[in-house]
Amino acid sequence: MSTLEDVRPVELASESWLSPGGRPDSLMRRKHGLIGAPVSRIDGPLKVQGKATFAAEFPIDKMVYAALAYSSIAKGRIATLDTGEAEAAPGVVLIMTHRNAPRLQPMPMILTGAKALGGDNLPILQDDRIHWNGQPIAVAVAQTQEQADHAASLIRATFEAEPAITDFAEAKAKGVEQGQFFGHPLKVEIGDAEKALAGSTAQIDALYSTPRHTHNAIEPHAVTLAWKGDELVVHDTTQAVSHCAWTLATVFGLDESQVHVTSPYVGGGFGSKTFWQHHVLGAAASKLAGRPVRLALSREGVYRLVGGRTLTEQRVAIGAASDGGFEAIIHTGTSAMTPHNALPEAFILQTQTLYRADSFKLCVDVVRLDMLANTFMRAPGEAIGTFALECAIDEMAVKLGMDPIELRIRNEPDQHPTQGKPFSSRNLVEAWRAGAERFGWAARRSTPGATRDGEWWIGMGCAASTYPYNRFPGGAARITLSRDGRARVEIAAHEMGMGTSTAQTQVAAERLGLEMDQVTFAYADSGQPGVVMAGGSQQTAAIGAAVMAAQRALVAQLLQLAGNDSVLAGLSPDEVGGLDGGLARLDNPSQWESYAAILARAQRDEVTADGIAPPPSETQTWSMHSYGAMFCEARVNAVTGEVRVSRFLGAFDCGRILNSKTAASQFKGGIIMGLGLALMEETQFDERSGRIMNPSLAEYHVPVHMDVPDIDVIWTDIPDPHAPMGARGIGEIGITGAAAAVANAIFNATGKRIRDLPLTLDKLI
Ligand code: MOS
């Protein structure tokens, strides 16, 4: 029998990668061919020509435009609402308020059901109640966007305010609750960590804080939609077309088949392109107006309607023996959320995974504030949890006089530290070694403030990064193979700019034994198979597993069609795979017949197969995570406190990399977002009124080109035998660890330890 490496394109039995002792997906070992190749985006030319149609660009006949008016109190009721002037304004079709809006079900809130997608479950425009400062109170619908915006500005409201909780300290004083994540309490206790800490030779015990963040995808949220009788067609920008269709159907009392959602291009999601009140208001206004409606949120609209990352206060305490071995890790704290959402910041997740210790005490408490519902934002939990943990590790390295990389490697676990499961594949130490070598870590001076270039202090810092491999249930795909040797792969998945359509075309072509230009990857339509969320860095695995299942069903059908006259006669689906435009015997690829010949002999023009991905049992058996080692060089101006990141390197261990070009962009994009998290991003929330005070990119700062140095990314490319294609997720790993690497570099440069994000110059002078 040939080895995996030299039977180039032939598939092994499907799903064996799931079970202990099973055989991994053979695509993970492909050395040549499409897997890993730096293929440019297949949608790139469309995008640079402006021919990729985004949600707010779909034309519909007789369409009208919507704009929103917002509350200016955090809690209470609308006392008076005067829409007369707005209704009389030029081009106005209607003004929708709680008085005339259709009666609707609340939107099912994300994490409360398999396809529930709502950011909250509040009955907006169903009564006169106000739940947050910025909540929509009216929708102006007009012939043009400008007329709608003008009419919205003419809506006059007064409010009866009620006491609201908008102050974090006040909310904490009322008491905290145990935080829950996906139905599980965010709490782990192993041994007596407080006692172990007290008895340790070296102790670190520090408080870290992280602010609110608002989503700023380059494409603001928008829907263009039309009712056709009782059916609703929606052009959305979403990370979850099937969930969106079901959620809208539930709100309007329809069957999900009556709602058809497409989202072919998404200008960034990061966890925010789920389902918010503008979906409901747009569809309701369209129903009321009897016209197709476009509701495109302004940038301010995104700040008022779409939640982001919420604030946290975190304590990290570490007790170590004199040799650096951890005796206690404590990571506890409080996250703010609202009475109407299901997501605290799960900032302890990475602390369960990264290091071994004799004892652990991990807990997330929550308090409830009257504010816009917070939500997922790229590596929710981990992005800010690694800031606290990885700064504390750096503080411990300083205390012990150890190199921070060596301290981390000293505490590298050989199994999951708090669950005891074996790792599917963990090569973080290799990432540390390769990254340190390439970054020139050996030249770092461990004494803070030792390197200066004129006015600038220069320092180097590092941090570990991790994010789980996820694969949510619901993956399904359809493959249609035609006699001309072309295949169409359909799955209700998403392209948010990360390169999914390109990488998945590569994978499907390789799996089928076709060229890339013979494969069409059709996605982002709720009519397609699968309930796939482009979130949790899981979409690649979800699609991969579904396409594996569909391909196996296709092979079974083809073998049946091939019949007794084929060289493949008598073989089972597990014994053959795709090769050079046909099927070949696994252990003897010269036993081959083309797809065209099989279909011609059977007098078929095409064959279609559906497959359902198996349940994600791999994550029950193994601890599966992506890892990274982050390196930062920062320059801090001794006079002004200005920080410039001058170099950054990420060394990643994420299994097999499927497209080295789009993957590098994902890693770099995550790191850039991490630089924003470290140095500038902060939603200014007025704790007296609950108002977001900086709802624009003029006052909410994200990194621009001048803020971003050359970023170097490398990866181990060691396949994970328990993941489809050997690949773990890469979408969220880049942001985790990045802020700590910056903070640790700043400490190395200046000797100043800032534990409160963002690391702005006022904290450094
Ligand atoms: Mo990501 S925050 O799961 O879109």
Side-chain angles (χ1 to χ4, degrees), residues 239 270-271 376-380 534-536 732:
Q239 302 179 221
F270 311 110
F376 301 90
M377 187 163 175
R378 204 172 199 171
E732 287 161 279

Side-chain angles (χ1 to χ4, degrees), residues 234-247:
V234 186
H235 302 294
D236 193 10
T237 169
T238 181
Q239 302 179 221
V241 281
S242 305
H243 301 70
C244 177
W246 181 87
T247 300

Side-chain angles (χ1 to χ4, degrees), residues 366-419:
V366 300
V367 296
R368 311 269 177 175
L369 272 70
D370 296 305
M371 60 179 189
L372 170 62
N374 55 287
T375 196
F376 301 90
M377 187 163 175
R378 204 172 199 171
E382 286 91 350
I384 50 178
T386 48
F387 167 68
L389 176 67
E390 290 299 293
C391 286
I393 299 282
D394 198 69
E395 298 195 40
M396 177 57 87
V398 171
K399 180 156 272 187
L400 289 166
M402 275 179 84
D403 178 85
I405 296 175
E406 296 311 319
L407 176 62
R408 287 176 171 91
I409 292 174
R410 167 73 183 75
N411 289 287
E412 177 72 6
D414 53 15
Q415 61 177 15
H416 190 282
T418 60
Q419 295 164 358

